[in-house]
């Protein structure tokens, strides 16, 4: 069973639009939540991360929100660009990131 | 910049054969990881290591062994490869810090016939 669930599996948005990806988790000991971005043929790379003591973290066009009560997190991408087309993974860890549990991923396509 | 390399990048193996996937990192990180990536499953942790000489079982260790002979090198060994082990394998390294990050290699595509 997956401890971290991610939705949707795939998503297409128009250039300039806002993308919203969501994840939910079960383990209440999770306290660190990174998002990784993966382009075809490459390994994933850290995009943004948040600790459970925060409810929002922003980095340019990317913002991640965390809701501890509902055990949910989301990634918002504003002004989406074709270069953002990639697969996005949320992940969770209970010990500051040393062992991550990944969600199933969302394949994002941004159309010009 | 962080550097994790994997070899081979592509491998075709026969059922029952032995396969060794190698990973090298020049980041001097203590922690190293092996994941497999399959559509719909994301990345699943097979084995990991906290330093030279140590290996730990991840979430899906069955059918795999790992070896960490040095700080820089971490190998994944399939003693008796099966078609169900056909996948893309990623190695990563990371270390403790205020903003923990795992640095991934480019992946190895393994096909077991």
């Amino acid at each position: 069973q997956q401890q971290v669930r991610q939705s949707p599996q795939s998503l297409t948005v128009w250039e300039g639009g806002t993308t919203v990806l969501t994840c939910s988790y079960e383990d209440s000991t999770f306290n660190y939540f990174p998002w990784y971005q993966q382009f075809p043929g490459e390994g994933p790379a850290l995009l943004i991360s948040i600790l459970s003591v925060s409810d929002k973290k922003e980095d340019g066009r990317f913002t991640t929100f965390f809701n501890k009560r509902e055990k949910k997190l989301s990634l918002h991408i504003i002004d989406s660009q074709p270069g953002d087309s990639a697969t996005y993974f949320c992940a969770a860890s209970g010990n500051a990131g040393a062992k991550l549990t990944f969600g199933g991923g969302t394949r994002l396509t941004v159309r010009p | 910049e962080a550097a994790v390399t994997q070899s081979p990048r592509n491998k075709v193996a026969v059922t029952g054969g032995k396969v060794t996937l190698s990973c090298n990192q020049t980041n001097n990180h203590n922690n190293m990881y092996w994941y497999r990536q399959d559509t719909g499953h994301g990345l699943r942790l097979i084995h990991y290591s906290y330093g030279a000489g140590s290996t730990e079982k991840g979430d899906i260790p069955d059918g795999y062994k790992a070896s960490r002979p040095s700080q820089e090198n971490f190998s994944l060994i399939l003693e008796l490869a099966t078609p169900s082990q056909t996948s893309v394998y990623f190695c990563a390294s990371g270390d403790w810090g205020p903003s923990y990050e795992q640095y991934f290699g480019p992946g190895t595509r393994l096909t077991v016939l």
Side-chain angles (χ1 to χ4, degrees), chain A residues 45-79:
Chain A
L46 181 65
L47 180 65
I48 191 169
S49 63
I50 191 167
L51 292 170
S52 59
V53 294
S54 302
D55 56 15
K56 177 183 174 181
K57 187 171 181 182
E58 207 171 324
D59 185 356
R61 296 186 293 109
F62 301 88
T63 302
T64 183
F65 295 90
F66 176 68
N67 185 320
K68 188 172 185 176
R69 183 180 60 83
E70 295 186 8
K71 294 183 181 176
K72 288 183 178 178
L73 59 154
S74 63
L75 176 69
H76 293 233
I77 308 173
I78 62 171
D79 189 24

Side-chain angles (χ1 to χ4, degrees), chain B residues 62-91:
Chain B
D62 293 346
Y64 302 93
K65 290 184 180 179
S67 174
R68 182 88 182 269
S70 65
Q71 180 83 338
E72 299 79 18
N73 296 296
F74 191 36
S75 297
L76 185 68
I77 303 148
L78 291 67
E79 295 277 5
L80 294 169
T82 68
S84 64
Q85 293 175 314
T86 293
S87 187
V88 180
Y89 291 84
F90 287 96
C91 176

Side-chain angles (χ1 to χ4, degrees), chain B residues 96-113:
Chain B
W96 306 101
S99 178
Y100 190 87
E101 178 175 357
Q102 290 189 17
Y103 295 86
F104 284 80
T108 293
R109 183 172 295 275
L110 173 65
T111 303
V112 183
L113 301 176

Side-chain angles (χ1 to χ4, degrees), chain B residues 25-76:
Chain B
Q25 55 108 354
T26 58
N27 311 317
N28 198 32
H29 286 157
N30 287 312
N31 304 335
M32 295 187 74
Y33 308 84
W34 276 107
Y35 295 90
R36 63 177 286 176
Q37 183 175 22
D38 305 286
T39 303
H41 290 279
L43 292 135
R44 291 181 289 175
L45 183 64
I46 305 169
H47 284 289
Y48 60 105
S49 168
Y50 287 132
S54 92
T55 60
E56 306 287 338
K57 292 182 179 179
D59 298 321
I60 53 165
D62 293 346
Y64 302 93
K65 290 184 180 179
S67 174
R68 182 88 182 269
S70 65
Q71 180 83 338
E72 299 79 18
N73 296 296
F74 191 36
S75 297
L76 185 68

